[in-house]
Amino acid sequence: MKKLIQNILKFILPFLLGGFVLYWVYHDFDFFAVKDTFLYHTNWWWMTASLFFGLLSHVLRGVRWRQTLEPLHATPRRTNCVDAIFLSYASSLILPRMGEMSRCAVLKKSDNISLAQSLGTVVTERLIDTFCILSITALTFLCEIPVFMTFFRETGTKVPSLLHLFSSPWFYVSLFCVIGVVWILCRLLRILSFYEKVKGIALNMIEGMKSLHSVSNKPLFVLYTIGIWGCYILHFYLTFFCFPFSEHLSFGAAMVMFTGGTFAVIVPTPNGAGPWHFAVITMMMLYGVSPTDASVFALIVHAIQTLLVIILGLYGLLHQMYLHTASNK
């Protein structure tokens, strides 16, 4: 019974956290403004271009993942790796951070690749992603220091008195986001401690993590990595051109919001719902966009990008089912 309750809480808490933040951000918002912008003021050509780069980033990640598996003498089909990426992002909508395990499970079923070894390569990927986002953030911060300082001041991160800090609703939104990040770190530590108790699995994971040193074509790996993050940035930046109130924003503004949104997605809510909206809306307002327009932008963009994740996940699931059925005939 205790384990059942824990599993239920793991499923419900991310939705409650996301719902809480969304409530604070949109509790007095006029949602008719979203309908009007969506139907009459959205440039769907630019939105299609944005979605293309979102799709391409997943494909490149799948192909790069296969490259890290090759030193382990694992050669899954590229389509299986891409399907696994599609399914990993979609499954994370149901239970945040479940994607890492789910994509390894796909290759276990389709190509009989060791779950522990493939998980080791995923850990390596996460380390590389961390390095990339920290590098992008550092460069963006240096170029846009005044904007970041204004953001910290406006969100209550830097205020003249503790009384003002605790009276700001944004402080409590940020607090819950920090709690979410701490919760993720605690979960990761527990998972790692569990694997350390199982020597065989731990060794396989270490072998998977070391696979990067044996990648046959390192320049190509770097090119894939640059392509993945370039696609992420374009996936977000091109949405500026979809709306009349954001098309004037600069690439620098996009990078500020992209980095803020990337860190917000770390919080364990479905696709960053809530914290992502909070970060993007607040930063967009710093560039002169009205609160209403910024809120509309965040709702529409996040909803469409989440829909893309769902569609790709369904495609990956159906494609894997088709391949499995075809192989059994």
Side-chain angles (χ1 to χ4, degrees):
M1 178 61 71
K2 182 179 179 181
K3 187 174 182 180
L4 177 61
I5 294 175
Q6 289 178 342
N7 290 332
I8 293 174
L9 289 176
K10 289 178 186 177
F11 177 78
I12 294 178
L13 285 179
F15 288 92
L16 290 178
L17 177 59
F20 171 80
V21 180
L22 282 173
Y23 171 77
W24 272 111
V25 175
Y26 288 100
H27 67 279
D28 58 351
F29 180 70
D30 180 14
F31 286 92
F32 285 104
V34 178
K35 178 182 177 181
D36 182 66
T37 301
F38 183 83
L39 294 178
Y40 307 112
H41 302 290
T42 301
N43 187 320
W44 291 103
W45 290 109
W46 280 112
M47 186 63 76
T48 301
S50 167
L51 295 177
F52 167 77
F53 284 105
L55 167 63
L56 183 58
S57 68
H58 291 358
V59 173
L60 290 177
R61 183 172 286 278
V63 175
R64 189 188 68 172
W65 186 30
R66 184 181 187 275
Q67 194 179 10
T68 62
L69 289 167
E70 288 176 348
L72 305 177
H73 307 290
T75 54
R77 295 174 59 177
R78 287 184 176 84
T79 53
N80 289 337
C81 292
V82 174
D83 286 345
I85 296 297
F86 290 164
L87 285 166
S88 71
Y89 281 94
S91 61
S92 292
L93 296 178
I94 302 172
L95 186 62
R97 314 310 165 203
M98 188 174 72
E100 285 79 1
M101 288 298 299
S102 65
R103 66 155 148 165
C104 296
V106 171
L107 290 194
K108 173 64 177 178
K109 183 177 181 180
S110 64
D111 298 271
N112 196 30
I113 294 175
S114 167
L115 192 66
Q117 285 185 330
S118 59
L119 186 59
T121 62
V122 173
V123 173
T124 302
E125 276 198 359
R126 288 291 171 254
L127 293 175
I128 294 171
D129 289 339
T130 300
F131 171 77
C132 289
I133 189 56
L134 289 178
S135 300
I136 292 172
T137 301
L139 181 60
T140 303
F141 183 80
L142 290 175
C143 295
E144 302 285 340
I145 289 179
V147 176
F148 277 100
M149 298 309 296
T150 303
F151 172 76
F152 295 148
R153 184 172 62 252
E154 293 293 330
T155 55
T157 307
K158 184 179 180 181
V159 292
S161 68
L162 287 176
L163 180 61
H164 179 72
L165 172 64
F166 290 109
S167 65
S168 171
W170 297 115
F171 167 76
Y172 293 99
V173 174
S174 301
L175 177 62
F176 272 89
C177 292
V178 171
I179 292 173
V181 173
V182 172
W183 179 80
I184 288 178
L185 293 176
C186 291
R187 291 293 303 170
L188 287 175
L189 288 175
R190 288 182 61 185
I191 291 173
L192 289 176
S193 64
F194 168 76
Y195 278 119
E196 286 174 356
K197 295 176 183 177
V198 186
K199 184 177 180 180
I201 296 178
L203 291 175
N204 282 332
M205 284 187 64
I206 293 172
E207 184 181 348
M209 293 172 66
K210 290 181 177 179
S211 66
L212 183 60
H213 297 288
S214 304
V215 168
S216 59
N217 193 336
K218 289 182 176 62
L220 183 61
F221 183 89
V222 173
L223 185 62
Y224 283 147
T225 302
I226 294 173
I228 290 168
W229 283 94
C231 286
Y232 285 160
I233 294 170
L234 289 174
H235 184 38
F236 177 73
Y237 176 54
L238 293 182
T239 59
F240 282 6
F241 300 99
C242 298
F243 310 100
F245 52 76
S246 59
E247 61 184 359
H248 68 283
L249 296 176
S250 66
F251 183 74
M255 292 304 299
V256 169
M257 295 176 219
F258 173 78
T259 54
T262 300
F263 281 102
V265 171
I266 296 175
V267 181
T269 63
N271 204 27
W276 186 89
H277 293 76
F278 160 66
V280 171
I281 291 170
T282 307
M283 290 181 167
M284 185 168 277
M285 289 167 57
L286 299 180
Y287 287 93
V289 179
S290 71
T292 298
D293 288 339
S295 299
V296 168
F297 175 90
L299 273 179
I300 293 178
V301 170
H302 186 270
I304 292 177
Q305 291 184 349
T306 301
L307 180 61
L308 174 66
V309 171
I310 294 172
I311 292 174
L312 294 179
L314 290 174
Y315 166 81
L317 177 62
L318 294 175
H319 189 228
Q320 283 298 300
M321 291 173 61
Y322 168 77
L323 293 176
H324 180 71
T325 302
S327 64
N328 290 333
K329 287 184 178 180

